Each structure stands twice: as C-alpha cells, then as structure tokens.
C-alpha cells in the first residue's frame, strides 16, 4: 500500500468544535448559596429575570424567602441545605470568612452537583482591598478540596452587585471568566452567563488559575474608588 493509499483510507478527523457552541441550560434549576447578600441576590435577580428557575439559600429559610419575594420573577427561598438539594447548579456567593464551614456542612447535599464558586478572598486595611491566598491556593480550590463528590467550577467574580441589582439597567456589559477541570462543566457555566443580556462566559483555564482571577477583584475595587465606577472586564479578540 502506498502512502497515498494510506492517506485515503485514514479515518476522517472530527470537525473542531466551535467554542461558542454551548448547551441549552434554560431548564436547569440554579441555587444561590448566600443569595441574600448583594452579589448572590444580584445574580439571582438577573438569572431569574432571564427566565432561569432560581432558588436562593440562606442559613435562615425565612430570610431567604423574604429576599425571594422582594426579587420576584419566580425566585424561591429556602435554607442552604434545601437549596443545594433542589438545584442542578449551585452558585456559592457566601462571605469568604464563612466559605469553608458552609461548604463542609453541605458536602452531602452538594454531592453530584455542579458547584460554581464566585467567592473572592479579600482583606481590607487603610490602603484599600488586597487579595488573600488560601492554603489550597484559591477559594475555588478550597471548594474542590471540601467537596470531593461535586464538580467545581469558578466564575462570576468580577460583577458589580450594584449593577446586578439595578432594575433600570437592562444589559450587564461584561465578560465572565470561567475556570474548571471539565470542558462540559465549563460550557454549562458559560451558557448560564450568556443567559444574562450583555454578558458572555469565556473559558479562562483550570482551577489552578483561579487565584489570580479572584485576586483581580482587589484591583477592580481600586478602579471603582478612583473613578466612581462599577468596572467590569472585556476579553478582546475572542
């Protein structure tokens, strides 16, 4: 057999997948742990407004239910455990100082779930905000270590809670950097981000790269203070 014959008989290569060919996530239930805080509440509002089924969680169910009624758009409120159990995707938007304990207490309820961590470990002093580096490397890596039976991704770090909660703003003009170990999970999170008008999810690496994404929020806080703004990010040429 000649080399030309071998080339002709070789199996055809599969076409390269379009990175913007993302799954339909409209039927998935999204839970937001820390959904009564500014970031979680803002994300819940935007996703629900876009037609997503959303449950917000809190340590106290009555507090979550009150916040859900305020948000409208079919949002429900429950305690954190029930929120985790009833959701397909769970966004973690709790304060950093309660991050580890919250996730550890929900290990069973979060088993088998796609967990999206958006927590930014930050400290503050008279010079402003600065990044903290957890022992595991990042908040997302801490989540992965505490939730061995969950699939952990990281996203939604750089969003302004003020803009998210403002009903007068229709579009959120920003990209969302999404990190994760499995392409299918990353694409689900990208698609979820894309449900919000003006927003786009962009793959930004594996979880080992989450620290610098989380840390960048300290820089954005400095930008916002200097320019009286609500800065976001855009990734060019993609």
């Amino acid at each position: 057999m000649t080399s030309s014959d071998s080339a002709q008989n070789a199996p055809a290569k599969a076409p390269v997948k379009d990175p913007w060919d993302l799954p339909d996530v409209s039927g998935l239930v999204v839970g937001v742990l820390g959904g009564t805080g500014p970031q979680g509440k803002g994300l819940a509002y935007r996703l629900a407004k876009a037609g997503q089924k959303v449950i917000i969680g809190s340590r106290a169910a009555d507090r979550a239910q009150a916040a859900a009624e305020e948000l409208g758009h079919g949002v429900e409120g429950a305690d954190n455990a029930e929120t985790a159990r009833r959701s397909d995707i769970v966004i973690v938007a709790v304060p950093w100082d309660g991050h580890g304990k919250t996730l550890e207490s929900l290990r069973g309820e979060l088993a088998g779930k796609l967990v999206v961590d958006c927590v930014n470990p930050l400290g503050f002093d008279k010079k402003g905000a600065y990044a903290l580096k957890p022992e595991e490397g990042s908040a997302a890596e801490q989540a992965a270590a505490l939730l061995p039976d969950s699939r952990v991704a990281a996203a939604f770090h750089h969003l302004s809670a003020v803009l998210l909660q403002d009903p007068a703003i229709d579009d959120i003009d920003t990209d969302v950097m999404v990190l994760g170990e499995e392409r299918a999970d990353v694409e689900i999170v990208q698609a979820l981000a894309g449900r919000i008008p003006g927003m786009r999810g962009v793959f930004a690496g594996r979880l080992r790269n989450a620290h610098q994404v989380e840390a960048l929020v300290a820089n954005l806080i400095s930008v916002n203070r200097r320019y009286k703004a609500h800065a976001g990010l855009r990734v060019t040429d993609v």
Side-chain angles (χ1 to χ4, degrees):
M1 182 181 294
T2 66
S3 58
S4 59
D5 291 334
S6 298
Q8 290 175 355
N9 294 329
K13 290 184 178 180
V16 177
K17 185 178 183 299
D18 182 351
W20 298 112
D21 180 15
L22 301 173
D24 178 9
V25 297
S26 59
L28 298 181
V29 178
V30 178
V32 184
L33 304 182
T36 58
Q39 194 81 352
K41 198 172 181 182
L43 274 170
Y45 169 68
R46 289 292 164 176
L47 289 169
K49 188 178 179 183
Q52 207 75 34
K53 176 59 186 173
V54 177
I55 306 170
I56 58 175
S58 175
R59 287 177 295 180
D62 56 349
R63 187 178 175 204
Q65 289 160 1
E69 290 178 11
E70 181 184 340
L71 292 176
H73 297 285
V75 176
E76 294 184 41
D79 63 35
N80 283 331
E82 182 181 346
T83 298
R85 281 194 298 267
R86 292 178 56 196
S87 302
D88 301 303
I89 305 172
V90 178
I91 298 173
V92 181
V94 299
W96 167 240
D97 58 6
H99 181 264
K101 288 183 179 179
T102 299
L103 295 183
E104 193 170 22
S105 70
L106 297 171
R107 182 176 295 169
E109 290 84 357
L110 291 171
K113 310 284 185 177
L114 174 54
V115 176
V116 185
D117 204 298
C118 70
V119 175
N120 303 302
L122 297 175
F124 295 86
D125 60 20
K126 62 182 181 181
K127 294 182 179 180
Y130 61 95
L132 304 175
K133 189 160 188 178
E135 182 179 347
E136 298 85 355
S138 64
E141 288 169 295
Q142 183 183 87
L146 292 172
L147 303 172
D149 298 319
S150 304
R151 296 130 52 210
V152 175
F156 302 115
H157 302 89
H158 305 137
L159 306 180
S160 164
V162 173
L163 298 184
L164 288 174
Q165 294 184 82
D166 188 343
I169 295 175
D170 293 324
D171 294 357
I172 304 296
D173 182 22
T174 193
D175 284 335
V176 171
M177 301 182 80
V178 184
L179 303 97
E181 299 302 317
E182 299 297 333
R183 181 168 180 171
D185 291 338
V186 168
E187 291 181 347
I188 288 171
V189 182
Q190 286 182 270
L192 188 65
R195 296 271 289 158
I196 299 173
M199 196 176 290
R200 183 179 67 157
V202 179
F203 172 64
R206 294 179 179 268
L207 288 187
R208 68 180 183 181
N209 292 319
H211 169 66
Q212 56 264 39
V213 173
E214 296 169 2
L216 187 58
V217 174
N219 303 91
L220 291 178
I221 290 172
S222 297
V223 171
N224 289 337
R225 287 181 174 176
R226 174 64 63 89
Y227 298 103
K228 309 300 181 189
H230 302 291
L233 295 177
R234 278 295 186 198
V235 181
T236 62
D237 202 32
V238 293

